[in-house]
Amino acid sequence: MRVLHTSDWHLGRSFHRVGLLSAQRAFLDHLVETVRARGVDAVLVAGDIYDRAVPPLAAVELFDEALHRLAALGVPTVMISGNHDSARRLGVGSGLMERAGIHLRTDPAGCGTPVLLDDAHGPVALYGLPYLEPAMVRDTLGARRADHAEVLRAAMERVRADLAGRPAGTRSVVLAHAFVTGGTASDSERDITVGGVASVPAAVFDGVDYAALGHLHGCQTLTERVRYSGSPLAYSFSEAGHRKSSWLVDLDGDGAVRAERVDCPVPRRLARLRGTLEELLDDPAHARHEDSWVEAALTDTARPHEPMARLAKRFPHLVSLVFDPDEIPADGSASYAQRLRGRSDQEIAEDFVVHVRAGRAADAQERAALRSAIDEVRTAETAAEVAR
């Protein structure tokens, strides 16, 4: 069986205030053509179909159009909700869509109920595990603790229990939306940390033939059977070095995996440039970036006059400008962004405690209280999105 594994479409998202709807449409055109031309038997979309819980109308219309085109090809599509999606909204009408071969899996309680397909070698069971917010699904799944590893283990126990009752030789595929240990993150992914921990071990997927992951935006192979497709478009300059693609995965009769990357269309290259204003304006080596989306980091000791306007004459698609001098001013006047760069919410909160208590750091009990408070706020925000 041949499946096309993709994820993290983030329909409705922009790139530094530049609309991406036309680029997303081009990707979906490419997706449909790949399905048709490469003889794909099933399409897998591992979450974050939309960029936010209540997407703009244009994004909903684009999604609807894509579903109609996939259904017209007669190729089954299995989708799960991600942490950016509203599971309830995305799941509306899923029962009716299933009749057209569009299988939306948004309810954690249904983790152990597969979409069953057949090929010349027999049955293939595809299990959709939507994004599992630990505090909200712990009781539903009977997990021992409200953390990512435990709720995903509980969901996989349901998968294995169902698979054990299937005919011998049934092959299995799991779609999941999570941060799995060994994966490399980008700046454009929303933090899903709970209790100071975001990742789960890849071993949680042992026992299935292929795990189609979503959440991280870089295409990655954790094991031969556990892979991220990554996002089809770059959504931050941290992805400038990414090769955006989907996985074309063949499962043979014994469940062995053979995977091939299928490159996605690139609407415009990304370039991260660094130097003084005059260097960026004059260096001939930057000529190849004049049609790219550009992030410029200025290293001038003093802020130059009208840098954005001057740079835009050479780089008309300049979308981000940061002032980042090579030498931090001796008076300690580094910008707020410079001081926070690379620090987690937990570290920032602990630094604040040190600041207000004249150098006395938080003890273990206080650090745990801060972590709990951060988790509660994030869970409350997720619950509010679900309720919208």
Side-chain angles (χ1 to χ4, degrees):
M1 178 166 289
R2 171 167 287 184
V3 300
L4 184 64
H5 166 200
T6 180
S7 73
D8 294 272
W9 295 356
H10 289 278
L11 299 181
R13 189 164 187 157
S14 60
F15 183 79
H16 291 269
R17 297 179 300 280
V18 177
L20 291 178
L21 204 65
S22 62
Q24 291 172 335
R25 183 180 299 279
F27 160 69
L28 291 172
D29 289 343
H30 154 82
L31 176 77
V32 171
E33 177 57 23
T34 300
V35 171
R36 187 196 63 77
R38 301 298 300 271
V40 172
D41 298 306
V43 177
L44 314 180
V45 188
D48 281 354
I49 286 99
Y50 292 122
D51 189 55
R52 55 182 186 266
V54 184
L57 179 59
V60 177
E61 291 173 340
L62 183 57
F63 177 60
D64 180 65
E65 179 185 329
L67 294 187
H68 277 82
R69 295 174 69 185
L70 289 170
L73 290 175
V75 176
T77 299
V78 184
M79 299 180 161
I80 60 173
S81 50
N83 60 298
H84 279 249
D85 298 310
S86 166
R88 287 186 179 179
R89 287 177 181 271
L90 188 62
V92 169
S94 58
L96 289 173
M97 291 183 193
E98 195 142 350
R99 299 179 187 179
I102 306 296
H103 306 272
L104 283 167
R105 293 295 187 259
T106 62
D107 183 358
C111 287
T113 303
V115 175
L116 293 173
L117 303 178
D118 289 281
D119 65 7
H121 302 288
V124 179
L126 297 94
Y127 298 89
L129 280 54
Y131 171 67
L132 303 172
E133 179 63 36
M136 298 179 68
V137 304
R138 175 186 178 181
D139 293 340
T140 299
L141 296 177
R144 291 173 294 179
R145 296 189 304 276
D147 65 44
H148 286 288
E150 286 303 319
V151 297
L152 199 49
R153 284 192 185 101
M156 284 301 300
E157 286 173 5
R158 295 189 176 202
V159 169
R160 294 188 188 94
D162 179 83
L163 195 56
R166 300 284 168 187
T170 298
R171 289 154 293 159
S172 54
V173 174
V174 166
L175 289 77
H177 196 88
F179 190 163
V180 178
T181 304
T184 301
S186 306
D187 292 344
S188 54
E189 298 132 4
R190 184 180 295 170
D191 180 30
I192 59 171
T193 301
V194 171
V197 179
S199 64
V200 301
V204 76
F205 299 107
D206 286 354
V208 297
D209 294 309
Y210 185 71
L213 302 182
H215 179 58
L216 299 185
H217 288 181
C219 184
Q220 302 170 59
T221 300
L222 304 187
T223 74
E224 284 304 303
R225 297 183 182 274
V226 181
R227 299 171 187 262
Y228 282 99
S229 66
S231 60
L233 299 171
Y235 292 118
S236 72
F237 277 101
S238 66
E239 300 165 59
H242 287 189
R243 172 188 164 195
K244 295 300 184 180
S245 57
S246 304
W247 285 112
L248 194 65
V249 178
D250 288 316
L251 279 180
D252 71 12
D254 297 320
V257 170
R258 182 171 60 84
E260 172 192 346
R261 290 180 73 172
V262 179
D263 290 332
C264 298
V266 178
R268 195 177 297 280
R269 298 289 178 184
L270 306 187
R272 304 184 94 168
L273 307 183
R274 182 179 180 84
T276 66
L277 177 60
E278 296 308 319
E279 288 170 346
L280 297 186
L281 290 174
D282 298 336
D283 191 340
H286 295 323
R288 60 194 177 98
H289 301 306
E290 290 174 358
D291 195 44
S292 301
W293 277 320
V294 171
E295 177 187 71
L298 295 183
T299 61
D300 303 75
T301 303
R303 285 182 186 271
H305 180 62
E306 295 186 341
M308 191 76 173
R310 294 167 66 186
L311 282 169
K313 291 180 179 178
R314 183 178 191 188
F315 306 106
H317 303 289
L318 174 70
V319 294
S320 176
L321 178 64
V322 295
F323 183 62
D324 190 21
D326 286 331
E327 296 182 8
I328 300 298
D331 61 2
S333 59
S335 71
Y336 185 66
Q338 288 173 319
R339 297 198 300 272
L340 298 187
R341 184 176 299 147
R343 305 188 67 75
S344 67
D345 290 342
Q346 180 77 17
E347 291 170 327
I348 293 169
E350 291 181 18
D351 286 350
F352 178 74
V353 172
V354 173
H355 173 72
V356 298
R357 293 205 309 207
R360 184 162 63 89
D363 59 27
Q365 185 175 356
E366 290 168 333
R367 289 196 299 273
L370 288 171
R371 184 177 299 115
S372 177
I374 291 169
D375 290 347
E376 286 182 12
V377 169
R378 194 179 57 76
T379 300
E381 289 177 344
T382 302
E385 284 194 355
V386 169
R388 290 175 67 182

